[in-house]
Amino acid sequence: MKVFIITASINELLNIALFRSQSKAFEQSKIIIIDEGDASIRRRNHELLSNVDANFYGPRERKEWFRQRFGSAYEKYLSAIPERCHAETSFGFLVAYEEKADVIIELNDDVFPVSNYDLVKSHLHNLLINEGVKVSSRCKWYNTIENLVLNGEFSQVFPRGHPYSPEVRLEDYTWEDNCGKCVLNMGLWTGHPDLDGLTILHYGGLNGKCNIKGKTLKREKVVVSKGTYFAVCSMNTAFLRKCIPAFYQLYMNVFGIDRFDDIWSGIFLKKIADHLGDSICLGKPLVYHDKRPRNIFKDLKSELEGMAINEVLWRIVDSLELNGKDYYTCYQELADDLERAT
């Protein structure tokens, strides 16, 4: 099984070194690091990741990668890769696809190992083993925070990207012992859950972090049924190679919008997977999310327009009829239909 670990970071990758020391399976994976080419950070990361199969791709390396493949026309293709934002992981996915990875794991630089959870083995287990429970929702969305035991009693906490429409927050779920293999698995978090700026501010987090903490999982694998969406957070997510053509991480910092690249790519992928008869799940592995302090008002400002679009976008996607037979053709079809619908 050929596993690639993809991370986009401008920081020291102590977490990658810790994951490697914890897991033989992680040590045997290939690491793709998307950075901005800072020489001092690279030197430190080379030290931390000595004897690791790791490749660094900053702006210069990405440019050369496209030049080697497309010659004088390379700039047209290079321009499809988002710049100076988390969505640069799209380039890592492209490398993994070309090098025929079987499984890709996307990992943020602020998540760390949790004992009893081997990151690679846990993701592979949820992807490839017929275990778990299935959830469906009359309101068409599942709240991923529902699968976490929190550190207190909080009233209806929802993750970043879950729509705000009241009818989408009813949490009217049906559970069944129906499980199977999946094409994407999203791991969850102890420490700071993935919350939007409005939620964090509501719970007193002026520095980007609030009092809500994840403690443990309720269920290790939850398969989300056809027609039910959830907020896909890419900080700890694994998926099969065949998904890559439909899992492009969109440009952000456009029209002042940020922090929706993984959310919207997750909605698109879920729609296509449902059409193709594939399943998507969430649960293990847990990681510890040691979120860095950040300006909550800046986050909220960059999320507001995205929140408004999010309320409408998922409904348009849900209403589309797809006819494609694979992830590539379905994504093309979805993009064309979205352009016509908007």
Side-chain angles (χ1 to χ4, degrees):
M1 183 67 66
K2 195 173 182 181
V3 178
F4 278 45
I5 313 289
I6 312 293
T7 188
S9 178
I10 57 172
N11 300 299
E12 292 186 0
L13 294 172
L14 176 61
N15 70 321
I16 300 293
L18 291 174
F19 276 114
R20 175 180 175 267
S21 66
Q22 179 209 42
S23 165
K24 188 70 175 178
F26 194 100
E27 184 179 352
Q28 293 171 344
S29 303
K30 183 168 185 176
I31 315 297
I32 300 294
I33 298 159
I34 316 300
D35 65 7
E36 298 305 323
D38 182 277
S40 61
I41 293 293
R42 279 228 186 145
R43 280 195 298 271
R44 176 58 178 152
N45 283 331
H46 277 299
E47 293 172 1
L48 286 168
L49 303 178
S50 60
N51 301 318
V52 173
D53 184 10
N55 288 341
F56 290 79
Y57 290 95
R60 180 177 59 82
E61 290 87 359
R62 298 195 292 272
K63 182 178 179 179
E64 184 59 27
W65 192 92
F66 280 100
R67 191 198 303 273
Q68 288 179 3
R69 286 151 182 82
F70 302 105
S72 60
Y74 78 94
E75 289 183 339
K76 176 175 66 172
Y77 301 97
L78 175 62
S79 66
I81 301 299
E83 298 177 338
R84 303 187 69 83
C85 65
H86 183 266
E88 287 178 332
T89 52
S90 285
F91 177 78
F93 299 170
L94 185 58
V95 172
Y97 190 85
E98 184 183 78
E99 297 188 17
K100 294 182 168 49
D102 296 301
V103 174
I104 297 87
I105 299 176
E106 188 176 4
L107 197 64
N108 278 18
D109 63 8
D110 61 353
V111 298
F112 293 84
V114 169
S115 60
N116 301 323
Y117 287 98
D118 182 304
L119 184 93
V120 174
K121 289 183 178 180
S122 293
H123 273 303
L124 292 179
H125 186 275
N126 271 13
L127 287 171
L128 304 176
I129 303 300
N130 290 317
E131 294 181 359
V133 295
K134 180 176 283 189
V135 64
S136 59
S137 171
R138 292 183 183 178
C139 67
K140 288 184 172 287
W141 276 79
Y142 172 64
N143 175 11
T144 59
I145 303 295
E146 187 277 337
N147 199 41
L148 281 176
V149 176
L150 302 179
N151 62 325
E153 294 295 328
F154 300 97
S155 176
Q156 281 201 305
V157 178
F158 291 86
R160 175 179 60 92
H162 193 113
Y164 272 83
S165 300
E167 69 272 17
V168 181
R169 295 195 162 203
L170 293 176
E171 298 195 88
D172 184 7
Y173 304 136
T174 300
W175 298 90
E176 57 181 306
D177 293 325
N178 187 333
C179 52
K181 297 180 180 180
C182 293
V183 296
L184 179 142
N185 177 62
M186 186 183 85
L188 293 175
W189 332 272
T190 63
H192 300 282
D194 185 33
L195 307 175
D196 63 25
L198 186 59
T199 302
I200 291 170
L201 191 60
H202 175 74
Y203 285 100
L206 292 177
N207 66 347
K209 301 184 285 186
C210 66
N211 295 326
I212 300 173
K213 303 289 193 305
K215 295 174 64 178
T216 189
L217 285 173
K218 293 180 182 176
R219 312 166 197 88
E220 293 205 325
K221 181 176 178 179
V222 175
V223 178
V224 182
S225 68
K226 182 177 181 179
T228 298
Y229 299 88
F230 68 99
V232 176
C233 166
S234 62
M235 73 171 76
N236 170 28
T237 300
F239 50 93
L240 303 186
R241 178 179 182 267
K242 70 177 183 178
C243 294
I244 290 175
F247 203 46
Y248 172 68
Q249 304 298 291
L250 285 75
Y251 261 92
M252 291 288 108
N253 300 316
V254 178
F255 305 120
I257 300 171
D258 199 4
R259 292 169 57 78
F260 278 89
D261 48 320
D262 50 355
I263 301 300
W264 292 340
S265 68
I267 291 172
F268 300 157
L269 183 63
K270 184 60 166 66
K271 174 68 177 184
I272 294 171
D274 284 354
H275 165 70
L276 294 175
D278 289 333
S279 294
I280 289 178
C281 63
L282 60 100
K284 70 177 182 181
L286 278 175
V287 294
Y288 175 67
H289 184 204
D290 187 17
K291 189 176 182 180
R292 296 183 180 89
R294 50 193 296 149
N295 186 322
I296 193 60
F297 297 105
K298 182 178 179 181
D299 276 357
L300 183 57
K301 182 179 179 181
S302 66
E303 290 171 350
L304 280 175
E305 188 64 29
M307 286 178 178
I309 294 172
N310 197 47
E311 297 294 328
V312 177
L313 179 63
W314 80 266
R315 297 180 189 276
I316 296 174
V317 172
D318 185 55
S319 70
L320 299 177
E321 294 291 333
L322 299 177
N323 297 298
K325 304 300 183 184
D326 57 41
Y327 283 88
Y328 175 76
T329 55
C330 282
Y331 194 80
Q332 283 190 311
E333 187 181 6
L334 186 146
D336 291 341
D337 288 348
L338 274 176
E339 186 174 18
R340 284 191 289 268
T342 56

